[in-house]
Amino acid sequence: MTRSSKIISGILTFIPFVLLIVYFFSIGFLVRDAIMHRHEDMPFPILTDVFWMVLIALLLGLFSIGLLIYYIMHALNNKFIDSNEKLIWVLVFVFASIIGFPIYWYMRIWQGPEAKYIAS
């Protein structure tokens, strides 16, 4: 894997973290606007905030499912990982997806385990 593809996969791996933070902030803004009765001149003031929350949640879900499929396939096809570790990685992806993706990316993609085996 080239360095640029490692960087691109790393950026895509951290997008769910960013979307999750943005989602939490949008919940905060929705609650703040509901409490302070902002946008009283608009007929449906909360709908704009809800629209953005739904859009962010959909993007978060799409990125998470896409990364889940990618990382499961990458772990299962990685010839430098034994079968027990493959099973552990798949379980980590399923149960701790957003947290497990960056850990796997750093340990198995960024550091490049193939370099360890070639050098030794």
Side-chain angles (χ1 to χ4, degrees):
M1 190 176 247
T2 63
R3 183 172 169 84
S4 61
S5 61
K6 288 180 181 183
I7 292 172
I8 290 171
S9 68
I11 291 170
L12 291 175
T13 299
F14 285 98
I15 285 178
F17 274 120
V18 174
L19 287 175
L20 189 63
I21 291 169
V22 170
Y23 185 74
F24 286 145
F25 274 111
S26 67
I27 290 173
F29 289 131
L30 176 70
V31 170
R32 183 200 64 186
D33 289 347
I35 290 172
M36 298 179 72
H37 302 291
R38 298 238 179 193
H39 312 294
E40 292 178 1
D41 55 335
M42 296 175 63
F44 301 107
I46 303 297
L47 287 181
T48 56
D49 294 336
V50 171
F51 169 76
W52 288 110
M53 285 179 56
V54 169
L55 183 67
I56 293 168
L58 285 173
L59 287 174
L60 179 63
L62 287 174
F63 270 102
S64 295
I65 290 172
L67 287 172
L68 178 69
I69 293 168
Y70 173 75
Y71 279 118
I72 286 176
M73 295 305 295
H74 190 276
L76 292 177
N77 294 326
N78 193 341
K79 62 183 176 181
F80 301 107
I81 300 176
D82 64 343
S83 61
N84 291 332
E85 189 176 354
K86 287 179 183 182
L87 176 64
I88 291 171
W89 278 119
V90 170
L91 290 174
V92 166
F93 297 150
V94 170
F95 291 114
S97 58
I98 293 179
I99 297 168
F101 299 149
I103 294 170
Y104 180 84
W105 175 81
Y106 179 74
M107 290 178 65
R108 294 295 176 191
I109 295 177
W110 182 249
Q111 288 186 343
E114 62 272 0
K116 293 178 188 175
Y117 290 102
I118 293 171
S120 52

